[in-house]
Amino acid sequence: MAEWQTRKTKDLVIAFRSWKFESSRPHMIKKAIHDFLFFLLGDRCIMANKKINTIAIFSVFVAIVMLQTFIPCLGYIRFFPALPAITTLPLTVTVFGILMGPKMGGFLGFFWGALSLFRAYTQPADLVSIMLFQNAVIAIIPRFLAGVVPGLIGKLWQQRHSTRNYLISVAAGVASTLTNTLMVILFTSIFYNHSSKLMSCLGYADTSKSLIIVLLIALSFNSACEAIFTGILTPLIVVPLRKVLSKRL
């Protein structure tokens, strides 16, 4: 028998000899069960707990994204009727990406993109959003990358001094927002490079102008508001959450 198993066996014998099943000691029951499972399963028990916690956290953030998507003025705030709404969803994706890493952040970003595609068909708000986000590439890939980028930046968290954690989370929030906006503009210019209908919806009758420039001008206000909002709130949410989750994951 391995050394750690011998120690655990002795601990279990001592625990069960002195154990009294009293309602005032629920923590003793939990500890004894945990020790018994660890004795039987070893590292597999720890890995199973981590997977369960990860799935639970992912489910919570998926629910938040769904609430932001379908509750008016929670995830999408409209200032100009003819342009896409300002979204607060990059904040949720950024926080999750920093906490859980680029892979899980990409999954949540993909889910956000799929909801954007679904919303463009079921709850279209303006002609620009219809033309842009009814395209699966424009709707999904920028959102997917918006979840991956903060996860990659979040890896610097463990490689830097704690005093720089706020700056890293601010950078992750701004980078996530800009990634989403710039990738939407890039893919739109590829798919609708000579679309007179899109240009007219944006308020430009002259189709000779570059679509990228027009989109940068049209979406600059949205992008600036989203970047400031996400950059300010990300460290305020991530820093305390990371301290709590570090004890559980």
Side-chain angles (χ1 to χ4, degrees), residues 43-193:
D43 293 339
R44 287 178 294 179
C45 181
I46 298 177
M47 295 300 296
N49 285 336
K50 288 184 176 180
K51 289 181 179 179
I52 292 172
N53 288 335
T54 300
I55 293 172
I57 294 169
F58 180 72
S59 300
V60 170
F61 276 85
V62 164
I64 294 173
V65 169
M66 292 183 69
L67 291 175
Q68 288 179 292
T69 300
F70 295 110
I71 295 180
C73 298
L74 184 61
Y76 293 93
I77 303 171
R78 187 170 302 282
F79 284 97
F80 304 105
L83 295 177
I86 295 174
T87 176
T88 60
L89 279 155
L91 174 63
T92 307
V93 176
T94 299
V95 170
F96 185 76
I98 294 175
L99 293 175
M100 307 305 294
K103 182 178 179 181
M104 295 302 299
F107 282 139
L108 188 65
F110 180 87
F111 180 75
W112 173 28
L115 285 183
S116 298
L117 182 65
F118 176 78
R119 186 170 178 268
Y121 280 98
T122 59
Q123 298 177 356
D126 55 85
L127 290 176
V128 177
S129 296
I130 292 174
M131 295 187 67
L132 267 58
F133 300 117
Q134 285 188 357
N135 184 308
V137 175
I138 299 175
I140 294 176
I141 293 182
R143 269 70 167 163
F144 170 77
L145 295 176
V148 173
V149 169
L152 295 174
I153 297 177
K155 286 188 174 182
L156 297 175
W157 196 292
Q158 300 175 351
Q159 303 171 8
R160 300 291 183 181
H161 194 268
S162 59
T163 56
R164 300 183 181 179
N165 290 345
Y166 284 92
L167 295 178
I168 292 174
S169 56
V170 169
V174 174
S176 176
T177 301
L178 294 180
T179 298
N180 176 55
T181 301
L182 294 177
M183 293 304 295
V184 167
I185 291 174
L186 176 63
F187 286 120
T188 302
S189 64
I190 293 174
F191 287 99
Y192 300 102
N193 190 23

Side-chain angles (χ1 to χ4, degrees), residues 214-233:
V214 171
L215 289 171
L216 285 173
I217 296 173
L219 300 179
S220 59
F221 177 77
N222 289 29
S223 180
C225 292
E226 293 168 5
I228 293 171
F229 175 81
T230 307
I232 292 175
L233 292 185

